[in-house]
Amino acid sequence: MGFWKSLFVNSDATSSPKSTQSSSVLAEVQSDDGSTRIFFSTDRDIDLYELEELCNAVGWARRPIRKVKKAIQHSFLVVTMWEQRGSRRRLIGFSRATSDHAFNATIWDVVVHPEFQGQGLGKALMKQLVKKLRSEDISNVTLFADPQVVDFYRGLGFMADPEGIKGMFWYPD
Amino acid sequence: MGFWKSLFVNSDATSSPKSTQSSSVLAEVQSDDGSTRIFFSTDRDIDLYELEELCNAVGWARRPIRKVKKAIQHSFLVVTMWEQRGSRRRLIGFSRATSDHAFNATIWDVVVHPEFQGQGLGKALMKQLVKKLRSEDISNVTLFADPQVVDFYRGLGFMADPEGIKGMFWYPD
């Protein structure tokens, strides 16, 4: 697919790619010729097998569908990214955040399909997620970054170990 | 107060410190003479002004009661620690975790009253929290530790930056 030259991000897209999702479309990114568009959604009604396929494409370990469903249900926010060509849409990105709905949020499972990487779409997806969290008055937006994506998140305004705060994981004995 | 020599932790305490809390008492820690006891609870019906007092005692910045209430409501788990002398009980510790109810949990706001620090009670509180999270089949238990408590959490089995994973915080421009 081509590079998205006329990338624009807005928070009140006027046209809806799918009637049932009209309330949850966050923004759109359009290509020059307008034949294909990328849109974001907060709709949680996701085909979990399509999501599994997306996660497989980036080499993530397979997880039980039942648990993925539960995790999506109990996430504070889910932002997905879709490619639409005509009436056909395809899940090309996913991200979600847990939160206490008041102070803190933690971002998990950020994924962009390999075919769509390197074009600023992951950045656009993350911006949507953070923007939405901030609009909900969440002041502390956090995540745990694998070494190879630390710089990606740095470029988005995330700081590693600010004031010496360390991310820690519990490991069973 | 004295050192808790006969510290024991169980998950099915037979006596309840307060009838309305019977279902949520996780464990008890008893002193030698039995006159005072420390107990843990998952009950969320906490006097928010008493919690504010506890947080003040350790020098935390004051937070709006309304938001604290919301955060407690939307936490996956809250574990509190109480000192009971006769019929009088006092909030001496607090901890909570957000979660997607499936894979990940993040621990926030761990506090032990200064008068009760240095006796293993913070460790006991954390063990209750982690045990409960594990019993709910949460495999990834995480937290963000200030530099001065990194070693405390290390002693509990938490690892900083495992495999180079970095804790990151978003800062507005």
Side-chain angles (χ1 to χ4, degrees):
Chain A
M1 62 164 279
F3 187 82
W4 297 89
K5 283 176 184 161
S6 59
L7 186 145
F8 71 89
V9 173
N10 61 19
S11 57
D12 47 11
T14 48
S15 61
S16 158
K18 198 187 165 196
S19 59
T20 57
Q21 286 197 333
S22 55
S23 61
S24 59
V25 172
L26 288 175
E28 296 189 0
V29 181
Q30 291 197 331
S31 62
D32 267 354
D33 61 3
S35 62
T36 307
R37 63 175 173 180
I38 305 288
F39 70 93
F40 299 93
S41 171
T42 53
D43 199 314
R44 289 166 199 232
D45 189 16
I46 303 158
D47 179 337
L48 298 178
Y49 294 96
E50 197 176 359
L51 176 58
E52 189 175 57
E53 216 173 277
L54 172 62
C55 296
N56 285 345
V58 291
W60 288 5
R62 205 169 278 240
R63 300 186 291 185
I65 291 274
R66 175 189 58 81
K67 287 195 83 171
V68 172
K69 187 181 176 181
K70 196 175 178 186
I72 288 174
Q73 266 171 355
H74 293 281
S75 290
F76 175 63
L77 179 64
V78 174
V79 179
T80 49
M81 185 163 65
W82 305 80
E83 180 202 45
Q84 178 136 8
R85 289 172 180 261
S87 64
R88 197 176 151 271
R89 48 175 214 151
R90 176 185 174 194
L91 180 67
I92 60 166
F94 179 89
S95 60
R96 65 185 179 93
T98 49
S99 175
D100 56 19
H101 301 207
F103 301 109
N104 310 305
T106 311
I107 295 167
W108 306 99
D109 298 349
V110 178
V111 53
V112 174
H113 194 285
E115 288 174 30
F116 294 82
Q117 289 178 11
Q119 302 166 63
L121 292 174
K123 197 168 175 176
L125 176 66
M126 280 297 299
K127 281 189 171 179
Q128 287 301 315
L129 188 69
V130 170
K131 185 180 168 186
K132 189 90 178 116
L133 290 171
R134 296 285 294 174
S135 77
E136 299 281 348
D137 203 21
I138 306 293
S139 51
N140 191 31
V141 178
T142 63
L143 55 80
F144 296 96
D146 284 326
Q148 68 275 16
V149 288
V150 165
D151 285 339
F152 166 74
Y153 289 115
R154 259 200 201 107
L156 282 162
F158 284 85
M159 269 182 71
D161 304 345
E163 296 172 50
I165 298 170
K166 298 299 281 183
M168 300 186 86
F169 291 69
W170 187 77
Y171 282 86
D173 294 331
Chain B
M1 59 163 284
F3 187 81
W4 297 90
K5 282 174 185 162
S6 61
L7 185 144
F8 71 89
V9 174
N10 62 19
S11 58
D12 47 10
T14 49
S15 62
S16 158
K18 198 185 166 200
S19 60
T20 56
Q21 286 198 333
S22 57
S23 63
S24 60
V25 172
L26 287 176
E28 297 188 2
V29 181
Q30 290 198 331
S31 63
D32 268 354
D33 61 4
S35 63
T36 306
R37 65 175 170 178
I38 304 288
F39 69 93
F40 300 93
S41 171
T42 53
D43 199 314
R44 290 169 197 228
D45 189 14
I46 303 158
D47 178 336
L48 298 177
Y49 294 96
E50 197 177 358
L51 176 59
E52 189 175 57
E53 216 172 275
L54 171 63
C55 295
N56 285 345
V58 292
W60 287 4
R62 204 169 280 238
R63 300 186 291 185
I65 290 277
R66 176 189 58 82
K67 286 195 84 171
V68 172
K69 187 180 176 182
K70 196 175 179 187
I72 289 174
Q73 267 173 353
H74 293 283
S75 290
F76 176 61
L77 179 65
V78 175
V79 179
T80 48
M81 186 163 64
W82 304 80
E83 180 201 45
Q84 178 135 8
R85 290 170 180 260
S87 64
R88 197 176 150 270
R89 50 173 211 150
R90 176 185 174 193
L91 180 67
I92 61 167
F94 179 89
S95 60
R96 65 186 178 92
T98 49
S99 175
D100 56 20
H101 300 210
F103 301 109
N104 309 305
T106 310
I107 296 168
W108 305 100
D109 298 348
V110 178
V111 54
V112 174
H113 194 283
E115 287 174 31
F116 294 81
Q117 289 179 10
Q119 302 166 64
L121 292 174
K123 197 169 173 172
L125 175 67
M126 279 298 297
K127 280 189 173 180
Q128 288 301 316
L129 187 69
V130 171
K131 186 180 167 182
K132 190 90 178 112
L133 290 171
R134 294 286 295 175
S135 77
E136 299 280 349
D137 204 23
I138 305 293
S139 51
N140 192 31
V141 178
T142 63
L143 55 80
F144 297 96
D146 284 326
Q148 68 275 17
V149 288
V150 166
D151 284 341
F152 167 75
Y153 289 113
R154 259 200 201 106
L156 282 161
F158 284 85
M159 270 180 72
D161 304 344
E163 298 172 47
I165 298 170
K166 300 297 282 183
M168 300 186 85
F169 291 69
W170 188 77
Y171 283 85
D173 292 331

